[in-house]
Amino acid sequence: MSAIEDCQSVLKSAHSLFVLTGAGISAESGIPTFRGKDGLWKNFSAYDLATPEAFQRNPELVWEWYHWRQSIILKARPNRAHLAITELEAIFEKFLLLTQNVDNLHQRAGTKNILEIHGNIFRARCLECNKIINHQIESEGEIDNLPRCECGGLLRPDVVWFGEPIDQDVWQSACCFLEQADVALICGTSGVVWPVAGIPEFARQRRIKTIEVNLEPTPISNIVDISIPGKAGEVLPRIVEGLK
Ligand code: BV8
Ligand code: ZN
């Protein structure tokens, strides 16, 4: 049996599906990943910019990066992988999507039950009063003046930077759902960003069936039950086809 057929037979006997996605699921929409060569911007790595220190040091540069990313995302569309996940949500009685992505493409693809563990690039948070607002660029390019809250406070992107704690309520909800899931489908993540990187092992220890879809082998490829090499935009629709 092929890995995809294996995966389909596991999913056919499942009632509760937990899906975890990373930057790779948006790659076919043209969104740069964090680790791929396309993850560079003005010779900065995402890891250099997605930190509180970078924002402290140069908020203009960090806002320019987020606005550049917003401009790419606004021109992009959900790809067949996002749409296949929305179809999976309709098939399973119990479904949760935990995404590391901040690009809002799962929402635009129509998936409903989503937890965004690293926040959302189209929201901003005030450093003074902690108010959270929707924030979308008017124009690309150099920042004239830093985005400010009505209270006058400086706004920052409402995302979780490296070195910042993730939202414990979100994390607890994800782990509670995962604990009762029959299958964890892990797509397009390099499996190196913690604490999300711990999810495959968490599932394995609880005898939850784990399936990985990724272009290349990752640190979790040896942990999961089924590892399917390939593009998420090609593999996921094939998996869903076999479930209908
Ligand atoms: C925290 C928002 C603690 C910002 C992001 C051990 C335990 C705990 C923490 C750590 C630890 N070790 C190290 C840490 C610190 C750090 C960490 O994990 N560092 C790594 C680099 C080693 N973790 C943290 O800082 C986390 N916080 O633990 O806090 C704490 C507690 C209390 C008090 C204070 C602190 C917070 C991490 C969150 C960082 N923020 N995003 C933004 O987006 O701007 S993470 C960011 O990286 C994105 O969300 C992105 O999703 C993620 C990168 O991971 P991936 O999604 O996997 O993407 P990547 O590019 O890496 O890989 C893409 C994959 O797709 C590849 O495998 C590729 O092969 C594949 N692919 C490509 N194309 C396709 C494809 N697959 C299928 N189809 C395709 N077409
Ligand atoms: Zn404010």
Side-chain angles (χ1 to χ4, degrees):
M1 214 170 4
S2 75
I4 287 194
E5 286 160 341
D6 246 350
C7 165
Q8 287 164 340
S9 79
V10 162
L11 289 174
K12 279 179 182 155
S13 54
H15 302 282
S16 172
L17 177 62
F18 176 94
V19 180
L20 167 64
T21 59
I25 203 99
S26 296
E28 290 161 82
S29 295
I31 313 298
T33 64
F34 264 60
R35 296 167 64 79
K37 62 186 177 346
D38 58 358
L40 288 178
W41 174 77
K42 292 188 176 178
N43 294 328
F44 286 101
S45 119
Y47 289 101
D48 300 331
L49 294 165
T51 67
E53 294 76 20
F55 189 73
Q56 184 85 33
R57 206 172 35 247
N58 191 339
E60 290 81 1
L61 178 76
V62 173
W63 265 120
E64 214 185 302
W65 178 53
Y66 277 93
H67 286 171
W68 172 74
R69 287 169 69 192
Q70 279 197 359
S71 68
I72 292 179
I73 295 165
L74 290 169
K75 289 175 203 141
R77 286 183 313 139
N79 65 62
R80 294 175 64 219
H82 295 106
L83 298 170
I85 289 173
T86 302
E87 288 192 82
L88 286 172
E89 179 170 36
I91 293 170
F92 282 86
E93 290 154 51
K94 288 185 181 175
F95 174 95
L96 173 68
L97 168 62
L98 178 69
T99 186
Q100 300 174 91
N101 300 340
V102 298
D103 60 26
N104 218 48
L105 287 177
H106 284 301
Q107 289 89 333
R108 286 173 56 191
T111 303
K112 297 284 178 275
N113 199 6
I114 303 174
L115 287 176
E116 294 176 308
I117 192 71
H118 294 156
N120 188 302
I121 198 168
F122 293 106
R123 289 194 308 264
R125 175 158 46 89
C126 176
L127 293 179
E128 292 304 317
C129 70
N130 259 333
K131 186 176 177 190
I132 292 178
I133 61 168
N134 290 324
H135 174 78
Q136 190 169 307
I137 51 165
E138 279 98 41
S139 64
E140 286 181 46
E142 307 272 315
I143 293 271
D144 302 330
N145 33 51
L146 289 166
R148 291 222 170 250
C149 171
E150 287 161 355
C151 80
L154 179 59
L155 290 169
R156 57 159 283 175
D158 187 31
V159 297
V160 179
W161 280 325
F162 290 103
E164 294 188 321
I166 56 172
D167 180 311
Q168 284 309 305
D169 292 341
V170 172
W171 184 242
Q172 285 310 319
S173 304
C175 293
C176 279
F177 184 94
L178 177 56
E179 265 179 339
Q180 60 73 47
D182 300 310
V183 183
L185 178 59
I186 301 155
C187 309
T189 181
S190 57
V192 297
V193 175
W194 291 85
V196 170
I199 281 184
E201 183 55 28
F202 178 100
R204 193 190 64 78
Q205 285 170 5
R206 287 159 180 77
R207 308 238 181 293
I208 295 158
K209 279 282 187 198
T210 49
I211 302 164
E212 178 189 37
V213 176
N214 199 306
L215 261 189
E216 59 193 26
T218 69
I220 57 178
S221 302
N222 299 325
I223 298 177
V224 296
D225 296 300
I226 304 171
S227 188
I228 307 173
K231 287 186 172 184
E234 290 164 10
V235 170
L236 291 179
R238 281 181 57 198
I239 290 172
V240 170
E241 263 327 291
L243 300 181
K244 286 177 181 169

